[in-house]
Amino acid sequence: MDKQLLVAGGGIGGLAAALAATRAGWEVRLFERAVQFSEVGAGVQLGPNAVRCLQAWGLEPALNAVAAFPQHLQVRSAMHGGVLATLALGEATVRRYGAPYATIHRADLHSLLLHAVQDHPAVQLNLGHAITQHEDTGNAVLVHVEHGQGQAKPVEGDALIGADGLWSRTRTQVWQDGSPRATGHLAYRALVPAQALPAAWRAQVTAWLGPRLHAVHYPVRRGEWMNLVVIIHGNPPQDLEHWDHAANAADLAHALEGTHPALQEVVHSVAAAGLGWRLWPLCDRAPMQSADAMARGLVALLGDAAHPMPPYLAQGAGMALEDATQLQAALALHDVEVPLRLRRYALNRWQRAARVQARSQRNGRIFHATGLVRWGRDLGLRVLGERLLDVPWLYRGDGMDAGLM
């Protein structure tokens, strides 16, 4: 191991990058500003493209121990409650794409990646350490680290991966392209015991589409809990960077007035279980325009730091895992100079990630459509069904174009 990778950020993307680098024969020093590893209580959907990444790293048994594997994706009208379309998941997804569709608590995904790297002799995890700035000398990267006792001694490495999320300091220093943009969409998130919802909802992903809103719920933690997300239009909190806010359930109830009683029953299950909602103001960036948006010199971006996207294609975590897989392949090119390895990583990733960004943003407009567009959307779902819900180009990664979701 003659190369050392520095990683900014210890979330899902940062841990995946660390794991990928060790498999490419690199040593890793990861810096996480939080004093302990943790992930908020929210669910993540992993399409077969993302599950294949975990399988390749030998993490399928760990995934199977904590995830749920829904049998169907069902889309309903938030207004009249009727089924608009259904897509078979479960074994059907395995047959089509070689891997299942999984739903998982975000903390469980983070934990299984952490367990894969925390005892690895090539990985040094530094908690309570934040990279405040870096210098790319052309031959090495020098990072300046801040911790509880003040400024630490500079650390040198052969490359730096900015996996430090939506508000990435790494991106700010190198790309200087401004802050993420507020979408005007607010995500209310909650977890409830599975028994709090009718049995019919517990083994599937259910999406409710309505004018200027939609809701999704699906099982996590082996099906013992249900993750609920309701996204509405509204004014975001002033403090966008600290995205996790206490939510006012009355505001959510007001936004859902007029929706179908079955949807309102799902939403009311949170209060009935004595639990609460958290509010996430959604932000994103325009889709990337070139490989230069992901790598420059000895610095590259990964996950939300590179290509943040709204959750309307359920691919945020999946794209970070895919990034790490391609990073592994690039770092393993041991006869190639490091800047060229990072360039190869960016060239192999930017177009696909940009396409997912654009599709996610488009889906947001479709999901929340009003008037004739909403009518056409519902008709298209009723007529075309699985052809609109399936996404072969995404789940196979073969460039085929299809799908609404």
Side-chain angles (χ1 to χ4, degrees):
M1 294 186 181
D2 60 345
K3 296 292 184 184
Q4 184 172 97
L5 183 70
L6 308 178
V7 178
I12 289 169
L15 292 176
L19 177 60
T22 64
R23 295 176 68 87
W26 284 53
E27 294 182 348
V28 178
R29 296 181 75 172
L30 182 149
F31 301 89
E32 165 56 43
R33 67 174 55 249
V35 296
Q36 63 182 14
F37 285 115
S38 65
E39 276 288 348
V40 296
V44 172
Q45 297 182 63
L46 296 176
N49 56 306
V51 172
R52 283 198 302 272
C53 297
L54 298 174
Q55 291 173 335
W57 292 328
L59 298 178
E60 186 173 18
L63 176 69
N64 291 344
V66 296
F69 298 92
Q71 296 303 302
H72 299 91
L73 165 64
Q74 188 177 86
V75 181
R76 289 176 169 264
S77 166
M79 305 311 292
H80 60 69
V83 176
L84 300 176
T86 301
L87 173 68
L89 300 176
E91 287 301 319
T93 301
V94 176
R95 287 194 301 272
R96 285 196 296 267
Y97 301 116
Y101 194 105
T103 51
I104 185 171
H105 193 292
R106 192 176 189 89
D108 291 339
L109 176 58
H110 186 270
S111 180
L112 68 87
L113 291 169
L114 177 60
H115 289 157
V117 301
Q118 64 182 358
D119 295 324
H120 198 292
V123 178
Q124 182 183 116
L125 303 175
N126 300 280
L127 292 170
H129 288 67
I131 295 177
T132 56
Q133 60 179 344
H134 68 267
E135 302 168 32
D136 181 348
T137 69
N139 297 313
V141 177
L142 195 67
V143 300
H144 300 269
V145 179
E146 188 178 78
H147 60 80
Q149 286 71 46
Q151 199 76 14
K153 215 170 13 174
V155 178
E156 185 178 273
D158 296 287
L160 170 64
I161 296 298
D164 42 352
L166 178 67
W167 302 93
S168 168
R169 289 188 182 184
T170 310
R171 179 173 186 143
T172 297
Q173 182 176 336
V174 178
W175 278 262
Q176 298 181 358
D177 54 356
S179 299
R181 61 191 184 187
T183 64
H185 293 184
L186 305 176
Y188 287 78
R189 299 180 182 268
L191 286 160
V192 297
Q195 293 81 358
L197 296 186
W201 304 133
R202 298 177 196 167
Q204 66 182 36
V205 179
T206 306
W208 304 77
L209 307 185
R212 296 172 60 83
L213 65 88
H214 86 284
V216 181
H217 48 85
Y218 51 82
V220 295
R221 293 197 156 158
R222 300 166 298 277
E224 298 164 12
W225 288 79
M226 298 293 292
N227 183 72
L228 279 58
V229 185
V230 182
I231 300 181
I232 65 172
H233 293 202
N235 295 321
Q238 289 187 343
D239 185 6
L240 284 173
E241 188 165 351
H242 295 87
W243 43 260
D244 184 21
H245 298 262
N248 187 335
D251 292 341
L252 178 58
H254 178 72
L256 293 177
E257 287 179 358
T259 58
H260 194 268
L263 172 57
Q264 298 204 30
E265 180 185 2
V266 169
V267 172
H268 292 157
S269 70
V270 176
L275 302 168
W277 295 87
R278 304 300 296 180
L279 175 64
W280 296 14
L282 300 182
C283 299
D284 67 3
R285 290 183 181 271
M288 294 182 295
Q289 297 297 309
S290 70
D292 184 66
M294 286 194 76
R296 292 185 185 178
L298 295 174
V299 181
L301 300 176
L302 183 146
D304 283 349
H307 42 67
M309 60 191 71
Y312 303 128
L313 199 56
Q315 282 291 319
M319 288 297 101
L321 296 177
E322 283 192 10
D323 285 351
T325 300
Q326 284 295 332
L327 179 67
Q328 176 181 331
L331 293 181
L333 300 172
H334 297 294
D335 296 328
V336 177
E337 294 296 321
V338 174
L340 291 178
R341 298 189 214 183
L342 296 184
R343 178 72 176 174
R344 176 72 63 85
Y345 155 71
L347 286 169
N348 287 342
R349 284 300 298 154
W350 83 267
Q351 288 178 303
R352 177 167 166 85
R355 186 180 187 185
V356 174
Q357 282 181 288
R359 184 60 65 89
S360 299
Q361 292 165 4
R362 191 195 77 167
N363 275 6
R365 296 189 292 272
I366 295 173
F367 289 3
H368 293 199
T370 60
L372 290 176
V373 176
R374 174 184 158 221
W375 180 87
R377 175 201 68 198
D378 291 356
L379 177 62
L381 284 166
R382 290 192 189 96
V383 173
L384 297 175
E386 287 201 2
R387 291 180 57 189
L388 287 181
L389 298 184
D390 201 5
V391 198
W393 68 265
L394 176 61
Y395 296 151
R396 278 206 299 261
D398 61 4
M400 290 181 62
D401 192 8
L404 169 68
M405 300 189 59

